[in-house]
Amino acid sequence: MDNQIETALCCSDSISQTSVTISDFSDEILLNILRFIPSHDLMLNVSQVCRKLRTLCLDKSLRAHVHLHKEYTANDNAVKQLLKNLSGDVQTLNLSGCYWLAGSMVDQVTRCKALVSLDLSGCRLTSVRLSHLLTSLRSLRSLALDVGPGFDLHQLSAEGKSALARLQELKQTLLTPSYGVVPCCSALCCLHLYLEASEGWREAGGCAQLMVGQSSVPHYQNLRWFSARLAPGEVNRTLLSLYLAVFSMRVPEGLTGLVLSVPGPAPPRPVAMTALMESMASTVGNTVSALQLPRTWLDGAILGRVLAHGCPSYLNVSRCSSPGFNPLHVLLSAGRDLTPLRSLNLRGCGRGPLAENCGKGEEEMDAESVKALTECCPHLIHLNLSATHYHHALPAGQDGHLCDTLGHLAALCSLALPVCALAQSPPAPVNIQDPHTDLFSRSLLLGLKKSSRIGVPTYRPTTEVTVGQGEERQDRGLCIQPLLQGCPHLVELELIGAGFSSAMPRNEPAIRKDPAACPWSYNVGDGLIELVQGCKDLRSLSLANLGSLKTMNYTQALLEALSYCTQLMDIRLEQPYFNANAAFFEALSQCHQLRRLCLVSRHGTFQPAAVASFMQSCADVIMCHMFMGGTLVACKTLQKTLLDSFSISRPALSVVIYPLLHEDLAHVIRGMPLCHLDEITLFKSRVAEEPMKQ
């Protein structure tokens, strides 16, 4: 009945039983609750519960902004009905990553005449369909889309091109060498490029056509923000050079954000780069808000010139250190107020090569400079210190551990550290047994010989430390505690081996040999069970190369840990010789909220029946990516079985099962949805990798 809602009973030991209905909550409270419900579920289901909820669901604050990103249950019919119901009120529509929706669904967006912002990244979009869409959306000011093979700008109507000329923000993912719609966007203030063209276009001369004719020259005169993130490959580097060539003709006067992320070798530094940086730094009334340049483009002079006019809120100098240039030293010696800095990426930036034999060319963290940084930048929210080594040695009169220093950053939300930063003491000499090892490891194989593990310290309450064992033993397991206690807002903590390289490739063959781990990491136990027990709301878990790489020696700890991960939605596990057997999938089935699974294991094995049973019991799993051992026939057979069994009930289902060391793996990867590939399948550090959303 319309006015009746099931009563909730609130009970306690000290008060009598009281009946409470939804009518007792104010509209304001209910609206705040309803904002957490997915748009399609809200409008199609919640609004049908009762008259009160139906009325609240008509509130414009719930109807103006529709976000369907990661709403994997939203099928074609649901989205069609949703857009039909909300067409007159929607101002922001986010369909990014909705790769499973039919291309014809985009036509339904034409109903939403009041749209100001539209994100179609990952959706199927042709030139003709885009033209029809733009003709209907006269208020559109922000657009995100993919540009794939066959895109033809000349197929856009005059009305469509006029709509593009009114855009102020554009995000383009280029799957083919192209300027996309940029030549028509004369009023752009923000341009975000994601260059994802495959190397096949280089062989076909895909970039050559862009050099012909001035009609393809992009418009940059009003730009205040320019960012480009590249997938590996020469074709993407060439494409970036073509986009940047326009800066040599005219330097935008109001540019305040320049973010260029280029993996591997960078293209030659443009001649106009010096003039561009000078313009960014010296324009009256402008302060550079974000800066990232390829490692060979940035030097002390350029960074110093930018800092001389103010400190940006986002600075990414990942792996930019070189002989004679230490980005952190330049930052600290600039003599400027550094309090505006909110996000800093110092990945791979140390004070020089490590003296110890931990890996060729690996950097040692400059701990004293990091301490100075925490004093100068007390409002840091994101900090990346990975890909360096920190080996704690405490000379007389020196302050304590790195975690003590970082614990002063009270606003910190995300942090990336090398695993060895959590080691409290040097590695034990070879063939000398550590008497405390058994007390600080957790395994069902106690008493058996086992290899050293790499991970995070096993937690032990103070009461469990036996009298006489010394303060060193207690601190050894608790060195991370000052960090966790001093940073109450920390929600993302990455611990990555300083020399770790994932076996999962992008455009190259899989890595067949793992680099040696830092010996200091051997003093750090896996601590997996304690971690998940302390993180009750853990949503994402990524484990890579813990402990011995010759055998999987933390299986029992992993199985027990999964039983505590009741809120887990994403899991990625990369470990050589991993056995994805029935016991593993039975434990994983306890994670009832799980959505995405990725397994990467050189010489790993799997049991097809166990995988199928797991997918049957966990009905919300929409991504199963497994790159292990086994024959190509076995992998393809299991993949087909899962797709045939669950595709109808799970429209967003993405199943890719393929031998990790197969020569065609790179080609298979290019066919996967980019949202999954970037967010979970490919391993990378994500802390301070992207500018903060304004």
Side-chain angles (χ1 to χ4, degrees), residues 382-506:
H382 310 288
L383 178 61
N384 195 323
L385 297 173
S386 62
T388 58
H389 290 265
Y390 173 78
H391 297 167
H392 178 64
L394 186 57
Q398 184 178 336
D399 289 338
H401 197 274
L402 175 67
C403 291
D404 294 306
T405 298
L406 297 175
H408 292 92
L409 297 174
L412 204 62
C413 291
S414 64
L415 174 66
L417 290 174
V419 174
C420 56
L422 300 186
Q424 189 74 6
S425 58
V430 180
N431 297 327
I432 296 181
Q433 184 178 1
D434 183 350
H436 307 316
T437 298
D438 289 342
L439 295 173
F440 286 88
S441 62
R442 182 73 173 266
S443 172
L444 298 183
L445 302 179
L446 285 175
L448 300 179
K449 181 180 179 181
K450 54 180 181 174
S451 302
S452 300
R453 297 184 181 181
I454 305 169
V456 296
T458 301
Y459 174 73
R460 285 289 183 272
T462 307
T463 54
E464 292 188 16
V465 179
T466 306
V467 177
Q469 290 177 344
E471 295 182 359
E472 181 180 353
R473 280 190 51 193
Q474 180 176 346
D475 291 343
R476 181 176 167 188
L478 302 177
C479 63
I480 198 175
Q481 292 304 313
L483 168 64
L484 301 179
Q485 293 169 1
C487 304
H489 304 293
L490 190 66
V491 295
E492 184 176 8
L493 176 61
E494 290 183 352
L495 300 172
I496 306 173
F500 172 70
S501 295
S502 173
M504 193 67 195
R506 183 62 193 266

Side-chain angles (χ1 to χ4, degrees), residues 74 93 200 275 338 373 421 575 667:
L93 177 59
L338 301 183
L373 176 71
Q575 188 75 35
H667 176 73

Side-chain angles (χ1 to χ4, degrees), residues 15 50 116 169 295 317 418 426 439 473 476 522 591 621 694:
I15 61 174
C50 67
V116 176
E169 182 177 19
R295 58 190 302 179
V317 291
L439 295 173
R473 280 190 51 193
R476 181 176 167 188
Y522 296 159
C591 307
V621 174
Q694 302 298 322

Side-chain angles (χ1 to χ4, degrees), residues 330-338:
V330 174
L331 180 66
L332 295 174
S333 62
R336 306 297 300 182
D337 177 17
L338 301 183

